[in-house]
Amino acid sequence: MSAAPSQKPSQDHKTPFQLRFARDADDLRAAQRLRYRVFVEELGSDGEMVDHAAQLEADRFDPDYAHLMLIDPSRSEDPLEQCVAVYRLLTGEKAAELGRFYSEGEYDLTALKTSGKRLLELGRSCVAKDYRGGMALFEMWAGLAKYVIEEGYDVLFGTASFFGVDVNLHAEALSWLHHNHLAPEMLRARALPEHFQSMDLMPLEEIDRKRAMLAIPPLIKAYLRLGGTVGEGAFVDQAFNTVDVLLILDTEMISPRQRAMYTKGLGA
């Protein structure tokens, strides 16, 4: 497992959580256990390195990525069950060493990689079922904001998912994203030609905005509120039982109000 970033996200207020990067193999297993609970048990995903006996959702990229974990020690006496939220991170510098980002299995990232901006890939994000709708995601994003600001990353990106592979069920939401939130051309990554699934499935005038927004997963909506955009085209991941879109957030587009919400007390 690669060394975790030296920065240690922390909170300036009282919280039941511990926020830190995974430090060793045991931490990584705790992150993979949460991913198993969410992606496999809840959502029916699978993969060649999913370990059903050990209840771990793993892949070959895990050892080279940093894993930002939110820990609730009171949740269980078993350390493997104490991770309640996780984000997997890869810097552009580390991707250059490895030769690729995870997202390049689905998207042509040429526009991002030639933009001259410092890149940070985010992925495998999940929150334990009983912690959704509370402070957990806010704590994760506050820690992520601290890391992004201190390290000077310009663009955050990564795949996010609609669950279920029937594109027709997601047509209105995907079309809304295509018509209203497409990334600017200089950052517009595009789904690989051999897997390209158009998101332009309905004319804008036929879309019911309220219904479309209700169908967009909460994580994607959260990025949109920050000023996030999407790449061109979707990717249907049969093994993971998802339709993926590529979220792209230029940090310059984050509104002052949203920035202040997540960076309070950071001097940013």
Side-chain angles (χ1 to χ4, degrees):
M1 184 172 153
S2 65
S6 58
Q7 290 70 22
K8 296 180 179 180
S10 61
Q11 298 77 30
D12 296 308
H13 53 281
K14 295 293 184 181
T15 171
F17 301 118
Q18 299 171 6
L19 182 64
R20 57 178 170 80
F21 285 100
R23 299 173 295 203
D24 52 31
D26 288 338
D27 279 351
L28 178 56
R29 285 171 64 85
Q32 292 169 337
R33 171 63 60 84
L34 174 61
R35 284 163 31 184
Y36 186 90
R37 296 281 184 242
V38 175
F39 296 139
V40 180
E41 291 184 343
E42 284 190 52
L43 303 170
S45 300
D46 204 354
E48 61 182 28
M49 290 183 64
V50 169
D51 187 335
H52 295 287
Q55 299 182 337
L56 302 175
E57 193 279 311
D59 70 17
R60 64 187 179 88
F61 295 91
D62 279 337
D64 293 311
Y65 277 60
H67 302 263
L68 183 60
M69 307 169 61
L70 193 67
I71 309 294
D72 182 356
S74 69
R75 188 184 190 218
S76 172
E77 294 184 1
D78 182 356
L80 284 181
E81 299 289 352
Q82 292 177 359
C83 180
V84 299
V86 68
Y87 245 124
R88 190 169 77 173
L89 282 61
L90 187 71
T91 68
E93 294 82 4
K94 184 65 175 179
E97 291 179 24
L98 298 175
R100 62 167 291 182
F101 288 101
Y102 171 84
S103 304
E104 288 183 275
E106 302 183 8
Y107 282 83
D108 178 350
L109 302 183
T110 300
L112 288 170
K113 293 167 71 174
T114 59
S115 67
K117 294 178 178 287
R118 293 195 71 205
L119 305 178
L120 182 66
E121 183 183 44
L122 312 177
R124 285 296 200 274
S125 169
C126 61
V127 178
K129 189 174 184 179
D130 46 336
Y131 287 78
R132 295 169 200 162
M135 288 296 294
L137 188 58
F138 178 87
E139 295 287 348
M140 287 290 287
W141 279 28
L144 183 60
K146 175 180 172 64
Y147 177 67
V148 168
I149 290 168
E150 291 184 349
E151 293 299 300
Y153 289 103
D154 302 311
V155 175
L156 316 182
F157 73 97
T159 57
S161 302
F162 289 80
F163 292 97
V165 294
D166 186 344
V167 175
N168 293 324
L169 295 179
H170 309 304
E172 194 162 39
L174 291 171
S175 298
W176 179 263
L177 292 176
H178 173 83
H179 290 301
N180 294 284
H181 298 285
L182 203 59
E185 191 169 349
M186 70 169 293
L187 299 176
R188 194 179 301 166
R190 182 179 173 87
L192 295 172
E194 61 269 31
H195 303 293
F196 186 90
Q197 166 61 57
S198 175
M199 295 167 61
D200 185 7
L201 302 170
M202 294 176 61
L204 179 60
E205 60 270 17
E206 293 182 11
I207 298 174
D208 182 298
R209 180 188 182 279
K210 182 177 180 180
R211 190 168 57 212
M213 291 302 294
L214 286 172
I216 294 174
L219 179 65
I220 297 177
K221 282 190 281 197
Y223 276 100
L224 298 181
R225 286 193 294 271
L226 285 174
T229 59
V230 296
E232 178 79 26
F235 175 88
V236 180
D237 190 334
Q238 297 289 343
F240 223 61
N241 192 34
T242 60
V243 174
D244 296 344
V245 298
L246 189 73
L247 292 172
I248 302 166
L249 176 62
D250 187 334
T251 58
E252 290 184 352
M253 300 304 296
I254 300 175
S255 72
R257 184 181 68 84
Q258 290 282 352
R259 187 182 297 271
M261 183 186 304
Y262 291 106
T263 60
K264 185 178 181 181
L266 299 181

